Amino acid sequence: WLKRYLNFGPERPLWCFVADELLAHRAVSADLNVDEALRYNTYLQSWAPYQSALNLKSKDLATMMAVGRKYGVRAEAIAIDREILDTMPIWHHKFSDGDRRLFNSPENVVSCLKDKHRLRWVKDARELANKAGSNRHTHRVDCRCAACRVTRAITGCGHPHKCYLKAQALLNSIEDKWDPRVMQPEDYIRKNLLRDQEPTAHEDENTADFDTRVTTKGTLADVFRIFTNDESNGAHTAPTTKFANEQQPMITVFTDGSAIDNDTEDVKAGAGVFFGDGDTRNKALRVPEMLGPSNQVGEVLAIKEAIEAAPLDAPL
């Protein structure tokens, strides 16, 4: 149920929209100052609904929300495609550091953005904020630049410049990783490697290039993760995956994992990494008990160690 609920695509079931309305209507008392019409989804925004079946008036909804808490479901990724970032709600954005005053004042500007500009999503705010840089734009209430004239004609906005600045303030409150205006890993394109190029195929089926792309693409449904830690542990910025101007030679590393007494309580597993004869990066590791020793875990651990030991500016 929860997975289907967090699917925001065109095939989203009708009951999910009903659930949205029910949850929005049952926000906790501390979040009653969040406009109910702008409470889209608690997983994407900073407001919270009641959790009990009694308060939600629905045992099914309470069970679904309990599953999310139990398994640590939250929106998280190493880096996110701009098309996804643009579809996040701008009001009470889950990863905004703004307080309630940011979203509620000044009241006349906020009301104008909500009611006249119909500002709802990050993309809306980004496009509106960009108008502040229009040719011949001024901060005057009667600014005659093309952007302001069109904005007034379409929305009836009384002071477009103030709305542009408020849209900028909303965007500026978002963590860098979730801000589509900020440089993202997808902007760093390795020399001779097109962004959408697939890893090179090899004749040896046991050999493959390591895919360095870290950006999550698709829809909002693709950014949700389970078994996440507390939100305070999340990275606020995407990693820099910028490579040197001169690409380094290809590095080939051999990895493997093995286990004895597999599928028993006495199982012991290890991982091996081999860069070459005499290479100080070569490793032989024992799989810790906390990882659940097995042949497969050993193989994954070996790959992890190889990736971390290899230079970032060389194809692997």
Side-chain angles (χ1 to χ4, degrees):
W1 278 44
L2 184 57
K3 184 175 181 179
R4 296 179 68 189
Y5 175 68
L6 295 177
N7 178 8
F8 299 96
E11 298 180 357
R12 195 180 193 219
L14 179 60
W15 69 263
C16 296
F17 296 96
V18 176
D20 285 339
E21 294 297 322
L22 292 174
L23 291 170
H25 187 62
R26 302 302 299 170
V28 297
S29 56
D31 290 330
L32 291 180
N33 61 347
V34 177
D35 187 345
E36 184 172 339
L38 299 178
R39 298 175 199 159
Y40 300 119
N41 191 281
T42 184
Y43 283 95
L44 302 177
Q45 295 174 289
S46 57
W47 61 273
Y50 285 106
Q51 303 294 324
S52 70
L54 179 63
N55 285 316
L56 288 177
K57 311 297 184 184
S58 169
K59 182 179 179 180
D60 290 333
L61 270 185
T63 300
M64 183 183 76
M65 298 302 291
V67 168
R69 295 193 304 276
K70 178 179 179 180
Y71 293 103
V73 176
R74 70 185 290 250
E76 187 56 86
I78 297 175
I80 306 100
D81 184 69
R82 281 193 175 84
E83 290 187 7
I84 298 178
L85 299 179
D86 271 342
T87 59
M88 286 285 289
I90 188 62
W91 299 106
H92 306 280
H93 193 294
K94 188 73 170 181
F95 300 97
S96 167
D97 61 10
D99 57 20
R100 291 289 185 260
R101 289 173 296 178
L102 173 68
F103 300 106
N104 294 327
S105 65
E107 186 175 350
N108 61 327
V109 176
V110 170
S111 295
C112 186
L113 288 174
K114 293 178 181 178
D115 302 330
K116 294 183 178 180
H117 293 275
R118 305 295 296 172
L119 196 77
R120 295 293 183 268
W121 316 109
V122 168
K123 183 178 181 180
D124 299 337
R126 182 170 55 80
E127 291 178 346
L128 187 63
N130 285 343
K131 293 184 178 182
S134 300
N135 188 34
R136 302 179 66 182
H137 174 71
T138 70
H139 67 277
R140 294 171 57 91
V141 65
D142 60 348
C143 174
R144 301 302 297 167
C145 77
C148 286
R149 283 185 291 171
V150 170
T151 298
R152 279 193 290 265
I154 294 177
T155 67
C157 175
H159 201 321
H161 181 72
K162 286 186 176 181
C163 289
Y164 301 162
L165 294 184
K166 187 62 178 181
Q168 287 180 351
L170 293 173
L171 290 166
N172 291 341
S173 74
I174 300 174
E175 294 177 3
D176 284 354
K177 186 166 69 173
W178 293 88
D179 187 345
R181 304 169 303 165
V182 174
M183 184 74 76
Q184 300 291 345
E186 63 182 309
D187 301 318
Y188 304 128
I189 304 176
R190 185 189 295 183
K191 188 177 181 181
N192 300 325
L193 180 63
L194 298 177
R195 182 172 57 187
D196 295 323
Q197 178 181 329
E198 294 299 325
T200 305
H202 295 269
E203 292 183 4
D204 182 356
E205 63 179 12
N206 295 318
T207 302
D209 289 349
F210 176 68
D211 189 352
T212 59
R213 294 171 297 181
V214 296
T215 300
T216 295
K217 295 181 178 292
T219 68
L220 272 175
D222 296 301
V223 304
F224 289 99
R225 304 290 185 267
I226 60 175
F227 306 128
T228 61
N229 294 324
D230 184 81
E231 293 188 17
S232 62
N233 293 331
H236 301 294
T237 58
T240 299
T241 54
K242 196 171 185 178
F243 295 92
N245 292 331
E246 295 298 326
Q247 184 168 301
Q248 301 300 310
M250 171 76 75
I251 292 178
T252 299
V253 56
F254 300 87
T255 64
D256 201 2
S258 63
I260 57 175
D261 297 326
N262 216 6
D263 298 324
T264 71
E265 293 182 357
D266 298 322
V267 61
K268 295 179 177 59
V273 179
F274 182 74
F275 280 85
D277 291 334
D279 196 304
T280 57
R281 295 170 295 182
N282 295 341
K283 291 184 178 181
L285 306 167
R286 182 169 180 172
V287 177
E289 291 293 329
M290 62 179 292
L291 295 182
S294 71
N295 182 59
Q296 291 79 10
V297 172
E299 292 173 348
V300 173
L301 179 60
I303 293 172
K304 168 188 172 293
E305 293 293 327
I307 293 169
E308 292 180 347
L312 287 175
D313 57 352
L316 179 63

